[in-house]
């Protein structure tokens, strides 16, 4: 038997951003009682979100998309430049293709609707923190509807795509497939190019919607 203290599971620090006080405070209160999650602060708009994020360095930001002043998309793009390790999820009432596209382009790694139960939102926060993109099912369907067919990929590229969708890093993919990291990068570039995708997040969504995982 191994003696010694049991290692603690890191607490996920979350910043909640929404211009409606009742919604913002409600989300913060519900998340604050979920195991392993600590709400480190809240903000009323994008500018305040950037300021508070730079101060408290959250792991995950839940960002409303439509807010007065600096909106969620602009704040996301700014935060991705200033705090690249921070993962940002849009949490909104708007299931709109244009908003989804703008959010992804800005660097969001998730797009969820506010009608989620608290436990599911907490689960999404944990998965995003672990590197797994989180999107509402309706959003996934809309993105996949415009995606090309999977027969454009070679078997090796399909393997790489499956591992991307599982949240594997380039190093982990290289070890799993006995390839160099440079070769993995080349495979990923070809996958994105052939499928007309912008980044790993879209690749993961494509793989799930097309039954590749």
């Amino acid at each position: 038997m191994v003696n010694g203290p049991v290692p603690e599971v890191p607490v996920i620090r979350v910043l909640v951003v929404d211009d409606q006080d009742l919604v913002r405070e409600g989300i913060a209160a519900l998340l604050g009682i979920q195991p392993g999650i600590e709400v480190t602060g809240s903000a009323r708009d994008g500018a305040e979100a950037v300021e508070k994020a730079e101060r408290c360095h959250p792991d995950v930001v839940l960002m409303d998309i439509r807010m007065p002043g600096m909106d969620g998309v602009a704040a996301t793009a700014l935060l991705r430049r200033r705090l690249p390790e921070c993962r940002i999820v849009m949490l909104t009432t708007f299931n709109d293709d244009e908003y989804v596209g703008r959010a992804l382009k800005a660097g969001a790694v998730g797009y969820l609707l506010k009608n989620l139960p608290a436990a599911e939102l907490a689960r999404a926060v944990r998965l995003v923190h672990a590197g797994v993109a989180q999107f509402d099912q309706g959003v996934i369907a809309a993105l996949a509807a415009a995606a090309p067919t999977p027969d454009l990929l070679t078997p090796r590229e399909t393997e790489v795509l499956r591992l991307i969708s599982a949240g594997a890093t380039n190093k982990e993919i290289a070890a799993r497939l006995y390839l160099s990291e440079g070769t993995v990068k080349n495979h990923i570039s070809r996958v994105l190019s052939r499928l007309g995708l912008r980044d790993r997040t879209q690749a993961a969504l494509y793989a799930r919607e097309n039954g590749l995982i």
Side-chain angles (χ1 to χ4, degrees), residues 152-173:
L152 292 173
L153 303 180
T154 66
R156 177 63 85 188
E157 288 165 352
T158 301
E159 284 183 283
V160 170
L161 178 56
R162 286 195 180 104
L163 291 170
I164 289 173
S165 68
T169 64
N170 288 2
K171 184 176 182 179
E172 290 166 342
I173 295 172

Side-chain angles (χ1 to χ4, degrees), residues 66-212:
R66 284 181 59 174
M67 296 179 288
M70 183 185 292
D71 68 11
V73 173
T76 295
L78 189 54
L79 277 175
R80 289 296 298 151
R81 291 195 297 272
R82 295 187 180 180
L83 299 173
E85 297 304 314
C86 179
R87 301 180 185 276
I88 304 168
V89 177
M90 312 310 292
L91 185 62
T92 179
T93 57
F94 300 98
N95 186 3
D96 181 279
D97 291 350
E98 181 183 350
Y99 280 137
V100 175
R102 289 175 59 207
L104 289 174
K105 185 175 181 180
V109 295
Y111 195 104
L112 299 171
L113 302 183
K114 290 178 182 175
N115 59 2
L116 270 182
E120 289 186 27
L121 180 57
R123 180 175 182 272
V125 166
R126 296 185 189 102
L127 288 170
V128 163
H129 183 248
V132 182
Q134 294 295 295
F135 287 83
D136 178 82
Q137 288 300 313
V139 171
I140 293 176
L143 290 175
T149 55
D151 58 7
L152 292 173
L153 303 180
T154 66
R156 177 63 85 188
E157 288 165 352
T158 301
E159 284 183 283
V160 170
L161 178 56
R162 286 195 180 104
L163 291 170
I164 289 173
S165 68
T169 64
N170 288 2
K171 184 176 182 179
E172 290 166 342
I173 295 172
R176 179 77 173 269
L177 300 181
Y178 302 101
L179 301 171
S180 70
E181 287 191 54
T183 300
V184 169
K185 288 180 183 177
N186 290 337
H187 279 310
I188 292 173
S189 294
R190 284 196 294 271
V191 166
L192 297 179
S193 176
R194 289 178 180 179
L195 297 180
L197 304 173
R198 182 171 50 251
D199 52 32
R200 297 171 78 104
T201 297
Q202 287 194 352
L205 290 171
Y206 176 91
R208 289 172 194 169
E209 186 62 25
N210 283 278
L212 298 180

Side-chain angles (χ1 to χ4, degrees), residues 17-75:
V17 186
D18 197 291
D19 64 320
Q20 297 183 44
D21 292 347
L22 186 61
V23 173
R24 184 180 65 255
E25 292 167 7
I27 292 171
L30 290 171
L31 275 181
I33 61 175
Q34 298 296 319
I37 293 176
E38 175 190 353
V39 177
T40 62
S42 63
R44 293 181 175 85
D45 56 39
E48 187 179 9
V50 172
E51 180 208 344
K52 289 197 172 181
E54 290 185 312
R55 207 163 58 216
C56 67
H57 290 270
D59 301 303
V60 176
V61 175
L62 296 178
M63 181 84 73
D64 192 14
I65 199 163
R66 284 181 59 174
M67 296 179 288
M70 183 185 292
D71 68 11
V73 173

